[in-house]
Amino acid sequence: MISTLSALLLLLGACSSGVLDGSAASAKAAAPAVHPISGLPVIDLAVKTKSKAHHFRVEVAASQEEQAKGLMFRTEMGADEGMLFPEETPRRPSFWMKNTVIPLDIIYVGTDGRILNIVNALPYDLTPLPSEGVAIAVLELNGGRAEQLGIKPGDKVSWKLPKKAG
């Protein structure tokens, strides 16, 4: 009788363990992704042109330190990857390419979520590349990617930032 009861408890434990594993997998899937090189959160971002929506996975550089480093020293980035620099307070940002190895499209996003302007930035160029208006964010993609996809000023950019811990 005791061995039957022990076997039943082991069986129930195994079933419970499977449920817990499933819950852990669900929790892990719900957690925000983290980029393996930068350690920054990765989110989905979409750019809607006149003809279609283009989807990207972008790293979020939210703090001043993260934004100062940006994509410096990185030697590659996937075709549908990028980096988003959200502004806490809308302003007229200007970017440069100090220590940035790969060419980038710097896309300034206005307060209405539409692209203000796109600047083609060359590696290591220290020339300030300003927005043409007040921006709520800057999106960096691989150089030439915006033109390749037909992304232009006036197109709508949308994303949802991860919730801050604490």
Side-chain angles (χ1 to χ4, degrees):
M1 173 84 173
I2 292 177
S3 60
T4 306
L5 185 57
S6 296
L8 184 57
L9 288 174
L10 284 173
L11 182 60
L12 287 173
C15 289
S16 295
S17 176
V19 171
L20 291 175
D21 288 346
S23 296
S26 296
K28 187 176 180 182
V34 175
H35 193 273
I37 295 172
S38 68
L40 296 175
V42 177
I43 62 168
D44 294 318
L45 178 141
V47 178
K48 178 134 180 40
T49 66
K50 288 181 182 179
S51 60
K52 88 182 264 192
H54 301 283
H55 299 276
F56 300 92
R57 295 285 292 161
V58 299
E59 299 166 61
V60 179
S63 73
Q64 286 183 342
E65 295 80 22
E66 293 164 349
Q67 290 185 0
K69 183 175 180 187
L71 289 166
M72 285 183 180
F73 309 108
R74 296 275 282 279
T75 57
E76 63 183 6
M77 185 167 59
D80 294 323
E81 294 178 352
M83 185 172 279
L84 182 70
F85 300 78
E87 296 291 339
E88 221 171 275
T89 303
R91 66 182 186 95
R92 288 184 71 120
S94 184
F95 276 44
W96 62 351
M97 296 289 285
K98 182 177 182 176
N99 298 320
T100 307
V101 180
I102 55 178
L104 297 172
D105 286 343
I106 299 176
I107 301 171
Y108 294 101
V109 182
T111 56
D112 61 357
R114 298 198 176 277
I115 295 173
L116 295 166
N117 61 307
I118 302 171
V119 180
N120 302 108
L122 300 174
Y124 304 107
D125 187 356
L126 299 181
T127 306
L129 306 167
S131 70
E132 292 180 0
V134 176
I136 60 167
V138 179
L139 171 63
E140 291 181 340
L141 300 177
N142 281 307
R145 190 72 173 135
E147 183 178 4
Q148 198 176 48
L149 297 174
I151 295 172
K152 300 181 180 328
D155 291 344
K156 183 79 171 167
V157 183
S158 60
W159 66 88
K160 186 175 179 182
L161 291 178
K163 293 183 178 164
K164 292 182 182 180

